């Protein structure tokens, strides 16, 4: 199908984009890479009257580590830029992000789709949303009421809903510390599809000994979730298999066309164990 | 019956905009509605019908073109977003104006039966063209992963993988020969007879 008519506006800077959004009100939407929004507009699932194109805002297209060791990713950085970033911009401490990109759609999607767009879109199984929750990312926004810094744990409200106000822009995604022993893995029926279940494990290792870690899951709730029960197993010296079993037992996954709750629980068991092993091997 | 034109003063969205697009190295000006996607501008306004359109939601890849050298879905971009970018379509591959002189990639598709009905072919060609420019050393596993991006209902993909791989291998061999133009080394000879 063809999208409904709208008026196109090209933003020249972040301030201007935010001002324009405030002025145009509820009828306006931001467009970044368009890899989710244009598809929805073509189906008329979205019919904004105004589009504010932020695609040209170079200031929001950056990637690199700051003096505190945090990784700062501009909202307009594409999945492809992360995937192909040289080590001086994306060091080994953040290899988990680079490796995770291969799971997002396919090359022609990754060349246009942006990190900020993924997080603002807030699909329950989007890799960036899961990574943000698992690795305690902080989301920086800019709106008429000034800038905000929102922890990922408080950002996602439900599928496709989050803490962003309609006239607020996501500007930067900050991963506060390196996660050298972390891995994302997932299962989808076809390569490149959104995952049925996805898992991130971020281990704290002393040599080869596991001292603890973070476990987060996508596709088991309307938002990505941390699983304290599974993290407890890692913190108390339990095996990866026990950690995976604890994760599967702790959550109450949905029953839908993509898989029954029972099937998802089995996937969780397999994927958490696999992610633990990949994280340790890293 | 004639349709009452929508008055832009009442419906601002019905306005048309003048776009300047760079397609295959030619500068075009197009007057169109904002909602026109790049693939529709290419096909309907510029009459470059080599680029196909299938699903209009990013799944099939029939509309794949290069945007600043990188493969992208022309159905998931409004034409207005393409201003300032260099767009390349399948029409740019051939060495001459009537498209008879096939590029090495096109020839490889032909040689390896990488197409049957041909509906998906422009998309696969541009996907591979953009990919090989960035990853000239790609191996078969990477190429298999790449072609998962687009749908082909006819070939079963093996012949498409064969075509892309043979094109990549031939380009590497050519490069190696050129690098050692006068003095043929055993390495270059080996690269020519690259294993699959
Ligand atoms: C075939 C296909 C397969 C895909 N597979 C996957 C997958 O496996 N995993 C995955 O995670 N994604 C997948 N995607 C989606 C893709 O990752 C998109 O890039 C992403 O969801 C949105 O990014 P975008 O830049 O394209 O955003 P857009 O489509 O431009 O925008 C998406 C939404 O976010 C808002 N928005 C965008 N940027 C900002 C900002 N800076 N501030 C405020 N609001 C903003 C927009 O208003 C819109 O509501 C797939 C897409 C396609 C077409
Ligand atoms: S028509 Fe663009 S991907 Fe199918
Ligand atoms: S050749 Fe017919 S769809 Fe690919």
């Amino acid at each position: 199908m063809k999208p409904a008519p709208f008026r196109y506006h090209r933003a020249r800077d972040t301030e201007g984009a935010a001002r324009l959004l405030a002025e145009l009100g509820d009828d306006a939407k931001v467009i970044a890479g368009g890899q989710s929004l244009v598809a929805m507009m073509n189906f008329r699932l979205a019919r904004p009257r105004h589009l504010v194109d932020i695609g040209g805002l170079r200031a929001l297209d950056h990637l690199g580590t700051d003096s505190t060791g945090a990784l700062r990713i501009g909202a307009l950085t594409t999945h492809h830029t992360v995937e192909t970033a040289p080590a001086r911009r994306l060091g080994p401490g953040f290899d988990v992000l680079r490796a995770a990109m291969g799971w997002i759609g396919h090359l022609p999607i990754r060349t246009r789709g942006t990190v900020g767009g993924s997080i603002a879109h807030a699909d329950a199984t989007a890799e960036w949303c899961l990574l943000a929750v698992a690795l305690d990312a902080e989301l920086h926004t800019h709106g008429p009421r000034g800038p905000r810094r929102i922890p990922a744990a408080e950002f996602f409200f439900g599928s496709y809903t989050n803490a962003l106000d309609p006239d607020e822009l996501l500007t930067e995604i900050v991963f506060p510390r390196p996660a050298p022993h972390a891995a994302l893995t997932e299962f989808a029926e076809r390569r490149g599809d959104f995952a049925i279940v996805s898992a991130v494990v971020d281990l704290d290792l002393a040599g080869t000994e596991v001292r603890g870690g973070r476990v987060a899951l996508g596709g088991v709730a309307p938002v990505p979730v941390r699983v304290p029960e599974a993290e407890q197993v890692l913190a108390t010296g339990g095996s990866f298999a026990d950690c995976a079993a604890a994760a599967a037992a702790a959550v109450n996954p949905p029953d839908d066309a993509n898989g029954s709750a029972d099937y998802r629980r089995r996937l969780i068991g397999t994927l958490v164990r696999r992610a633990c092993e990949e994280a340790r091997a890293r | 019956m004639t349709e009452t034109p929508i008055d832009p003063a009442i419906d601002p969205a019905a306005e048309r905009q003048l776009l300047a697009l760079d397609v295959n190295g030619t500068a075009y000006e197009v007057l169109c509605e904002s909602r026109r996607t790049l693939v529709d501008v290419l096909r309907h306004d510029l009459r470059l019908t080599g680029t196909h359109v299938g699903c209009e939601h990013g799944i099939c890849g029939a509309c794949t073109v290069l945007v600043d050298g990188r493969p992208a879905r022309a159905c998931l971009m409004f034409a207005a977003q393409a201003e300032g970018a260099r767009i390349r379509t399948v029409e740019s591959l051939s060495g001459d104006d009537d498209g008879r002189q096939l590029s090495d990639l096109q020839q490889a598709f032909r040689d390896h039966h990488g197409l049957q009905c041909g509906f998906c072919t422009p998309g696969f060609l541009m996907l591979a063209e953009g990919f090989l420019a960035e990853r000239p050393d790609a191996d078969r596993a990477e190429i298999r992963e790449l072609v998962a991006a687009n749908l082909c209902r006819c070939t079963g993909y093996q012949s498409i993988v064969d075509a892309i791989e043979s094109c990549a291998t031939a380009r590497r061999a050519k490069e190696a020969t050129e690098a050692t133009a006068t003095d043929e080394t055993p390495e270059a000879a080996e690269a020519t007879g690259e294993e699959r």
Side-chain angles (χ1 to χ4, degrees):
Chain A
M1 244 162 69
K2 307 297 173 192
F6 60 85
R7 184 182 268 188
Y8 175 85
H9 309 261
R10 190 173 290 151
R12 305 212 182 288
D13 51 42
T14 312
E15 295 288 334
R19 228 177 8 249
L20 205 62
L21 284 172
E23 216 169 274
L24 297 169
D26 282 355
D27 281 348
K29 252 194 173 309
V30 172
I31 184 164
Q35 299 303 290
S36 297
L37 186 55
V38 181
M40 288 175 68
M41 289 175 67
N42 284 350
F43 277 120
R44 302 209 178 188
L45 293 170
R47 320 179 50 137
R49 299 274 292 149
H50 299 270
L51 275 192
V52 177
D53 186 359
I54 59 170
L57 305 187
R58 308 309 307 165
L60 299 187
D61 181 4
H62 58 85
L63 172 72
T65 323
D66 67 15
S67 56
T68 69
L71 181 74
R72 311 183 79 92
I73 308 181
L76 280 179
T77 307
T78 63
H79 312 314
H80 186 67
T81 298
V82 175
E83 185 176 23
T84 56
R88 73 189 146 74
R89 289 174 68 200
L90 190 72
F94 294 102
D95 259 351
V96 55
L97 303 181
R98 192 200 316 275
M101 296 303 95
W103 293 104
I104 303 181
H106 303 283
L107 175 66
I109 309 296
R110 299 197 289 265
T111 58
R112 303 271 318 151
T114 66
V115 180
S118 276
I119 289 180
H121 189 60
D123 189 289
T125 58
E127 287 76 6
W128 278 113
C129 302
L130 176 63
L131 289 163
V133 167
L135 305 177
D136 297 316
E138 194 177 59
L139 307 171
H140 294 196
T141 72
H142 188 92
R145 287 160 302 286
R148 293 202 288 162
R149 296 170 169 215
I150 311 169
E154 295 163 23
F155 184 83
F156 301 103
F157 293 168
S159 46
Y160 309 119
T161 54
N162 58 43
L164 276 180
D165 288 332
D167 54 4
E168 205 171 22
L169 280 180
L170 182 58
T171 51
E172 204 175 35
I173 296 89
V174 179
F175 287 88
R177 56 186 152 67
H181 306 293
L184 178 150
T185 191
E186 64 179 53
F187 181 77
E189 262 180 57
R190 285 167 302 268
R191 184 76 179 171
D193 282 9
F194 276 99
I196 299 175
V197 171
S198 48
V200 167
V201 170
D202 172 24
L203 295 177
D204 302 329
L205 290 185
T208 55
E209 192 195 331
V210 178
R211 288 284 172 82
R214 280 149 296 279
V215 177
L217 296 172
V220 304
V223 298
V225 290
R226 288 271 293 269
V227 193
E229 293 84 345
E231 294 178 356
Q232 183 63 26
V233 173
L234 292 177
T236 53
S239 69
F240 290 162
D242 289 344
C243 170
V251 297
N252 197 1
D255 225 336
D256 63 27
N258 291 323
S260 66
D262 188 46
Y263 177 62
R264 280 192 163 88
R265 244 183 238 109
R266 283 160 182 259
L267 279 180
I268 295 166
T270 305
L271 294 171
V272 168
R273 190 159 33 77
R274 201 177 281 168
C276 285
E277 279 155 11
E278 284 179 22
R280 182 165 57 187
R282 213 164 245 146
Chain B
M1 213 172 74
T2 54
E3 243 181 75
T4 326
I6 305 167
D7 179 354
I10 300 167
D11 183 358
E15 284 176 341
R16 280 160 187 265
Q17 56 193 355
L18 186 64
L19 300 180
L21 296 177
D22 172 350
V23 182
N24 301 332
T26 304
Y28 292 93
E29 287 198 334
V30 183
L31 188 65
C32 68
E33 279 184 87
S34 310
R35 61 170 163 162
R36 202 79 147 158
T37 55
L38 177 60
V39 72
D40 282 346
V41 163
L42 291 172
R43 292 178 53 83
H44 300 293
D45 299 296
L46 306 186
R47 295 281 163 188
L48 292 170
T49 53
T51 304
H52 291 172
V53 57
C55 67
E56 298 186 320
H57 65 286
I59 301 289
C60 75
C63 66
T64 307
V65 298
L66 301 187
V67 177
D68 287 330
R70 303 229 164 88
R73 303 295 205 222
C75 72
L76 292 188
M77 254 182 109
F78 292 111
Q81 293 175 278
E83 271 196 318
R86 280 167 298 113
I87 306 299
R88 269 186 72 197
T89 66
V90 69
E91 284 89 349
S92 73
L93 290 180
S94 162
D96 58 8
D97 280 347
D98 67 0
R100 289 189 173 276
Q101 190 191 318
L102 301 185
S103 77
D104 57 343
L105 181 65
Q106 289 171 307
Q107 188 63 46
F109 268 66
R110 183 173 170 171
D111 293 345
H112 291 268
H113 304 286
L115 63 152
Q116 287 178 31
C117 78
F119 185 80
C120 68
T121 313
F124 273 101
L125 286 169
M126 298 321 282
L127 177 72
E129 181 75 5
F131 172 75
L132 289 182
E134 189 174 295
R135 291 276 317 133
D137 294 325
D139 60 19
R140 191 170 177 89
E142 272 178 87
I143 295 168
R144 282 175 60 87
E145 170 101 33
L146 173 80
V147 299
N150 288 16
L151 294 180
C152 174
R153 297 290 254 169
C154 303
T155 64
Y157 294 88
Q158 297 304 332
S159 55
I160 297 177
V161 174
D162 290 344
I164 298 172
E165 192 186 20
S166 94
C167 176
T169 308
R171 285 184 188 178
R172 286 195 292 263
K174 188 158 171 259
E175 189 127 301
T177 340
E178 275 166 12
T180 56
T182 42
D183 174 19
E184 258 258 9
T185 63
E187 286 83 5
E190 219 171 270
T192 320
E194 181 111 22
E195 90 295 359
R196 175 137 300 158

